[in-house]
Amino acid sequence: MLSLREPASARTGMTFHQMLEKIRYEGAYPTRDRAEDVTRAVLEALGRQLATAERTELAARLPAEAAHALTTHTRDTRPLTGRQLVKDLADRTGTTPATARWDTGAVLAVVGHLAGDELVARIIGHLPDGYALLFGRAQLARAA
């Protein structure tokens, strides 16, 4: 079970501030505030797509503030492909799809590092097509 009372660095090895600085670097954002806004928007969007088990496990590997953003909203009833997620994020944040794609990649590269390969592979396996690329991984064809 996720314990938000425990220091984030004890659960993840990275504080929220460190996570934001890494995302700021990956996304070439001018300020930490911009990196934080992007991080929260992307995590909320991803959280709406994840099943409870994966969302809970991923949240446990993130700093508390990031875990909160991931778990704030309930799951969408309509699963989105990776492309649809990016479009939805662009619509919600008032950016272009290209900017939303960039933002998603910057955040999910860091999230994927914190989550680990096994969990990311499991998450990608349960989501519609297009999420592997968002996590910076090759999109493998699914068996028919």
Side-chain angles (χ1 to χ4, degrees), residues 30-130:
T31 65
R32 191 175 77 80
D33 287 343
R34 175 71 180 131
E36 184 172 352
D37 291 344
V38 165
T39 299
R40 290 184 190 284
V42 170
L43 289 174
E44 288 172 6
L46 179 63
R48 287 190 295 270
Q49 295 302 307
L50 295 177
T52 302
E54 282 89 17
R55 185 165 56 168
T56 301
E57 189 171 348
L58 179 56
R61 297 182 188 195
L62 299 177
E65 299 89 335
H68 180 72
L70 183 74
T71 58
T72 296
H73 300 283
T74 59
R75 187 172 185 195
D76 281 347
T77 57
R78 180 181 62 113
L80 301 176
T81 65
R83 174 180 264 181
Q84 291 168 328
L85 177 90
V86 167
K87 178 161 180 359
D88 182 64
L89 184 62
D91 292 343
R92 287 177 189 264
T93 59
T95 61
T96 65
T99 299
R101 169 61 180 92
W102 179 269
D103 295 344
T104 304
V107 172
L108 294 186
V110 175
V111 168
H113 172 74
L114 290 170
D117 290 338
E118 184 273 327
L119 178 56
V120 170
R122 201 164 6 110
I123 288 170
I124 291 169
H126 288 110
L127 291 169
D129 287 338

Side-chain angles (χ1 to χ4, degrees), residues 4-16 61-65:
L4 297 180
R5 293 175 194 255
E6 185 178 356
S9 58
R11 292 193 324 274
T12 67
M14 185 180 287
T15 66
F16 188 58
R61 297 182 188 195
L62 299 177
E65 299 89 335

